[in-house]
Amino acid sequence: MVAIIRCTEAEKAHLEWQEDLFPASGRREWTWTTTRLREFWTKGSHITLVATPDRYGVMQVTRLGHTKRLRQVADLQQKLEISHVTLLPEPVTLNELIALLTARHRVHLVEEGQQTEATGKALLAALVELQPDVDRVIRQLRATFDGYTVRSKAGQALATQRDAVLGIGRMAGMSIPQLARWDPPAEELYDDRPPPAYLDLLSPTATTSAGAGRAAPQHDIAIEDHHIGRDTEIFLGWIGELTGHVAWRHFRQDEQSLLIANVNRTAAERNSGADLLYYHQSRGSLILVQYKKLDRVGGYYYPDSDGKLADELRRMQDVDTYAARLRRPTDDHRLSPDPSWIKLCPPEGLIPQANVMVPGMYFSRQHFQRLRDDPRLRDGRGGALRFGYSNVPSYLDNTMFTRLVETGMIGTAGASTEMVRQQVMRSVREGRLLTAGVLTGKEQPQSARNSARRRRR
């Protein structure tokens, strides 16, 4: 549904202050909460036209956002939360917008509050007529909450890449909302061709307010800085040897640099799986995650029905053995020093623009193999072995896994760049969907990183 909200001068000043504090290129999303008469906000959530007064007091639609109801704060008052507030390229006078509506729609127009379905559609159509560029903002807002429907293997590949990209950002200790903002493909995805790289679909930086051109706060993350360091240039070179196109983004925060890359040169129907590779250069720490899907219907993974699993486990064991040979008594302590992990996750039906990963269960290779001999998992038909949320006794979830990687409690110690190169090459040559990340630069102690995280909330 669609709604209109008219701001006071004080609310306008608050919005501008938020936009100055957290520019669109920054690391943090922000929300605005306010109250309005409850009778005009009775249900649902809404794409909202945010109107603010100009210097003469004339109401202009300057922003779009998404409004949802929170709790009722008084008999007549409703608390609202407006998120994803996006400044329009040019303001549109509210009266000019309303003048484009037909008489039938103007009869049902609510001056402030939620509109009828037909009137809401007419308002958005009139807005696009006056400002064609607003159509992209509207599509992004809809996709944020409706999601992109996944209908093919290529769509699932795209969903897996998205999850791996968000995961790498978290492993690096960087909360980067831009990684969740993307433009869905303009046409249907086909399984007989390589899926689009998720990073290629990231939305361009949104327009910021006039006052937001000043220097951003110290904690902002620089995006797509093409003056990348030598380590990341070498990394991109490895991939470039094997494929003609690499989608990548580069982020900097404090004294650290994060490169994330997508490589998918194989048609979805011939794809042999998906790998996430994360290398922390200063720690010499490598993490490899292989994705596996739970069934859509029962929500289980059946290892005995996976014809690729035996070869994949052999490959992971080889990597773990190689990493073990590189360990030294002086290496940093790890709870689990092996690089190889498996993530079991449900297939995506919708890909949102919210900064959330696909729920899943993470297992080290050794834990996964141990569970294959666990009688508690032989509860399928005829005693079949299966992995699911209802029978696996323990696993790591997204938060636990990425936090352990970030703090250096799991992953190799002292891994060589040659080992990283071998795994990059092997993933690409075997026709796997590869999402890779490299973190370089000076690392702060965990206490300093925790303090910085608290300041940025």
Side-chain angles (χ1 to χ4, degrees):
M1 297 183 69
V2 177
I4 297 174
I5 191 165
R6 294 172 180 252
C7 297
T8 63
E9 285 284 359
E11 288 173 329
K12 176 185 176 183
H14 177 74
L15 291 176
E16 291 173 347
W17 175 76
Q18 288 276 31
E19 288 162 345
D20 283 354
L21 189 61
F22 304 116
S25 60
R27 74 174 259 139
R28 180 178 163 182
E29 293 282 1
W30 56 273
T31 58
W32 166 43
T33 56
T34 186
T35 58
R36 289 297 189 271
L37 284 174
R38 185 166 178 265
E39 64 176 304
F40 300 117
W41 301 87
T42 58
K43 58 184 175 181
S45 58
H46 317 277
I47 293 177
T48 302
L49 283 62
V50 181
T52 57
D54 67 6
R55 59 187 297 184
Y56 303 108
V58 176
M59 281 292 176
Q60 295 183 315
V61 179
T62 55
R63 296 162 176 83
L64 287 180
H66 183 272
T67 300
K68 68 176 181 180
R69 297 184 308 151
L70 299 179
R71 64 184 182 275
Q72 183 178 340
V73 293
D75 289 344
L76 301 178
Q77 294 292 311
Q78 175 71 54
K79 189 172 184 179
L80 305 173
E81 179 185 84
I82 300 92
S83 60
H84 295 80
V85 180
T86 304
L87 199 70
L88 302 187
E90 295 291 338
V92 174
T93 303
L94 187 57
N95 287 339
E96 182 183 5
L97 181 65
I98 294 172
L100 292 179
L101 300 181
T102 64
R104 176 169 62 91
H105 291 135
R106 280 201 297 270
V107 167
H108 297 285
L109 181 75
V110 177
E111 184 174 325
E112 181 176 62
Q114 64 193 46
Q115 309 296 323
T116 64
E117 184 175 356
T119 301
K121 288 180 179 179
L123 276 170
L124 294 182
L127 186 59
V128 171
E129 183 178 340
L130 293 172
Q131 283 281 347
D133 290 344
V134 172
D135 184 55
R136 178 182 62 82
V137 180
I138 294 171
R139 283 190 286 108
Q140 286 178 348
L141 285 170
R142 282 180 172 150
T144 299
F145 301 96
D146 296 341
Y148 172 76
T149 303
V150 177
R151 299 186 177 90
S152 62
K153 292 180 180 178
Q156 285 296 332
L158 187 62
T160 301
Q161 279 191 338
R162 172 190 171 278
D163 187 74
V165 164
L166 295 180
I168 286 174
R170 294 187 186 187
M171 292 177 202
M174 298 182 183
S175 175
I176 311 172
Q178 298 91 338
L179 291 180
R181 297 284 189 88
W182 64 293
D183 291 325
E187 59 182 27
E188 188 72 29
L189 300 181
Y190 298 99
D191 291 342
D192 60 353
R193 64 189 68 171
Y198 175 73
L199 288 171
D200 273 342
L201 300 175
L202 290 187
S203 302
T205 301
T207 308
T208 57
S209 63
R214 297 190 294 272
Q218 289 286 325
H219 59 260
D220 281 354
I221 289 180
I223 305 173
E224 288 190 280
D225 177 7
H226 289 280
H227 299 290
I228 62 175
R230 183 172 180 273
D231 293 319
T232 49
E233 284 181 347
I234 291 171
F235 178 77
L236 286 171
W238 296 338
I239 303 175
E241 292 178 23
L242 298 170
T243 182
H245 175 69
V246 180
W248 62 275
R249 292 290 185 274
H250 185 239
F251 305 91
R252 289 184 294 111
Q253 181 185 29
D254 301 324
E255 298 182 63
Q256 290 191 303
S257 171
L258 175 65
L259 180 89
I260 305 178
N262 285 153
V263 184
N264 37 319
R265 64 174 189 164
T266 305
E269 62 188 7
R270 299 197 305 271
N271 186 271
S272 62
D275 288 339
L276 181 159
L277 180 149
Y278 174 68
Y279 181 60
H280 193 302
Q281 184 263 345
S282 64
R283 293 183 193 143
S285 182
L286 176 67
I287 285 285
L288 290 166
V289 180
Q290 187 166 113
Y291 280 79
K292 293 289 185 182
K293 296 292 185 183
L294 302 172
D295 280 351
R296 283 187 182 275
V297 179
Y300 288 96
Y301 169 71
Y302 294 85
D304 296 340
S305 300
D306 187 345
K308 300 176 183 177
L309 181 62
D311 289 340
E312 290 166 345
L313 286 174
R314 276 194 293 271
R315 174 195 176 189
M316 286 189 278
Q317 186 157 3
D318 289 344
V319 176
D320 290 349
T321 301
Y322 183 19
R325 291 203 298 267
L326 298 174
R327 289 180 204 142
R328 298 291 181 267
T330 55
D331 287 343
D332 289 342
H333 172 70
R334 298 284 190 265
L335 294 176
S336 175
D338 291 334
S340 300
W341 291 75
I342 293 172
K343 180 179 183 180
L344 302 182
C345 53
E348 283 273 61
L350 290 172
I351 309 178
Q353 287 203 1
N355 193 12
V356 293
M357 296 175 63
V358 179
M361 298 180 280
Y362 292 85
F363 307 96
S364 67
R365 175 192 58 82
Q366 292 187 19
H367 185 198
F368 181 84
Q369 290 182 308
R370 181 75 59 84
L371 287 173
R372 293 182 72 185
D373 298 325
D374 192 320
R376 290 173 291 183
L377 272 63
R378 293 196 173 275
D379 58 359
R381 183 173 297 177
L385 175 67
R386 60 183 186 177
F387 284 69
Y389 285 102
S390 62
N391 66 347
V392 171
S394 61
Y395 58 86
L396 299 183
D397 60 19
N398 287 323
T399 301
M400 296 168 67
F401 177 76
T402 56
R403 189 78 171 114
L404 286 171
V405 176
E406 181 202 343
T407 55
M409 298 308 292
I410 60 176
T412 62
S416 65
T417 54
E418 174 60 21
M419 180 180 179
V420 180
R421 187 190 71 83
Q422 288 180 14
Q423 299 315 309
V424 168
M425 298 295 211
R426 191 167 181 178
S427 289
V428 177
R429 282 180 177 145
E430 292 180 1
R432 302 183 69 81
L433 193 72
L434 174 65
T435 298
V438 177
L439 184 68
T440 59
K442 183 178 178 181
E443 182 181 23
Q444 295 179 321
Q446 184 177 337
S447 60
R449 286 183 279 121
N450 289 346
S451 297
R453 181 183 284 108
R454 287 192 292 269
R455 287 196 304 271
R456 290 164 188 155
R457 284 174 182 167

